[in-house]
Amino acid sequence: MNIETQTSLPTPPKKKRLKGIIIFAVVIAIYVWAFSGVPVAEIRDTAGIKSIFSGLFHPDWDYVYLPDGEDLLRGLLDTLSIAVLGTFISAVLCIPFAFWASNSMNRFRPVAGTGKFSLSFIRTFPELVLALLFIKAVGPGSFAGVLALGIHSIGMLGKLYSEAIETIDLGPTEALTASGASRFQVLWFAVIPQVIPAFISFALYRFEINIRAASILGMIGAGGIGTPLIFALNARDWDRVGIILFGIIIMVTLIDSISGAIRKRIV
């Protein structure tokens, strides 16, 4: 009895290649047909790539300091002040949340769980969203930026602080508790000295992030160097955009270098 077996022959490479070319051609034809009806708007001379790069590489040095008005130095100082105050507010206010969310400081895990949930809820809202809310509440300006950075940073710093508290050596706390020390004395003499270096390091790291965030918040009216930057972008004043970006780069680089050197000495 003869049993015939049928085997499927593989598709020749030429057919596969031809199929791919046809599909690619059809896709290109669809894109060409779709964009053929789009009206081409007239591009201004100041919006061209050449004008942008010319302004960025030939910044307006006169804008660095203007005796009678807003200038680069005042904008950078305003941005620095917003970042400093926002970081300071969050670094202080997040300490109770950190102890609340720390497993090593709470006997009952559900208590620490509610603290962790609170910190997660706070850091859910980005700085831009909080800045828009505070602009509606207190008006545009640096105060709204400080509140936005301060509230948002509580969630992140509180999480880092709580993790630092959970990694401390519990030997000194147990020794003080066994000797009859109160809970406040245990915190003050056994916990705080161990976590202070980590707290300062995390606060400096958050300050570096807040410097960048403060530069962006000004673009929506929350003060800082972002406000003149968005005005210069809207006016296509590329030489002023260039000097503002140059100033931001220098400020961020200096802050990162100084903060990194301090953190290396602390930790």
Side-chain angles (χ1 to χ4, degrees):
M1 183 176 179
N2 297 328
I3 300 175
E4 295 181 356
T5 58
Q6 295 180 354
T7 58
S8 58
L9 296 176
T11 305
K14 291 184 178 180
K15 290 185 177 180
K16 287 185 177 180
R17 190 179 305 170
L18 180 61
K19 184 179 179 180
I21 293 174
I22 294 174
I23 294 175
F24 179 76
V26 171
V27 172
I28 294 297
I30 292 174
Y31 272 100
V32 171
W33 173 78
F35 285 100
S36 61
V38 177
V40 180
E42 182 180 356
I43 300 177
R44 301 181 181 178
D45 295 336
T46 56
I49 299 297
K50 183 178 179 180
S51 300
I52 293 175
F53 280 98
S54 177
L56 293 178
F57 287 103
H58 298 84
D60 182 12
W61 295 104
D62 295 333
Y63 185 68
V64 174
Y65 177 72
L66 298 174
D68 300 329
E70 296 183 356
D71 52 23
L72 178 64
L73 294 179
R74 290 186 178 90
L76 294 178
L77 181 60
D78 193 14
T79 302
L80 182 63
S81 301
I82 293 173
V84 169
L85 292 176
T87 306
F88 178 78
I89 290 173
S90 61
V92 174
L93 295 182
C94 74
I95 293 178
F97 288 92
F99 282 97
W100 179 17
S102 175
N103 291 323
S104 59
M105 293 291 107
N106 295 285
R107 298 178 181 177
F108 302 101
R109 290 295 178 90
V111 176
T114 57
K116 293 181 185 297
F117 174 78
S118 301
L119 292 175
S120 298
F121 178 78
I122 293 173
R123 65 175 179 269
T124 299
F125 302 96
E127 300 98 329
L128 290 175
V129 175
L130 291 176
L132 291 173
L133 292 175
F134 284 119
I135 286 174
K136 297 297 183 182
V138 301
S142 302
F143 186 46
V146 171
L147 293 177
L149 288 182
I151 299 301
H152 175 78
S153 299
I154 288 176
M156 198 63 220
L157 276 180
K159 178 180 182 295
L160 296 175
Y161 282 13
S162 65
E163 292 176 353
I165 295 172
E166 291 175 352
T167 60
I168 64 172
D169 182 12
L170 297 179
T173 63
E174 294 174 354
L176 287 175
T177 302
S179 64
S182 63
R183 187 173 180 81
F184 176 78
Q185 290 174 330
V186 171
L187 290 175
W188 186 258
F189 293 104
V191 177
I192 297 298
Q194 295 187 64
V195 298
I196 281 181
F199 281 12
I200 297 176
S201 177
F202 289 141
L204 289 173
Y205 177 70
R206 188 64 204 181
F207 174 63
E208 297 175 10
I209 299 175
N210 285 343
I211 283 288
R212 299 171 177 82
S215 302
I216 299 174
L217 292 181
M219 303 183 74
I220 60 173
I225 194 63
T227 302
L229 177 60
I230 192 64
F231 288 158
L233 287 171
N234 290 334
R236 295 183 175 86
D237 193 355
W238 302 118
D239 54 348
R240 180 159 295 185
V241 171
I243 192 62
I244 293 175
L245 294 178
F246 184 69
I248 293 175
I249 292 172
I250 292 179
M251 181 180 66
V252 171
T253 303
L254 289 177
I255 293 297
D256 288 353
S257 301
I258 296 173
S259 176
I262 295 175
R263 282 190 284 111
K264 286 182 180 179
R265 291 180 176 272
I266 293 175
V267 179

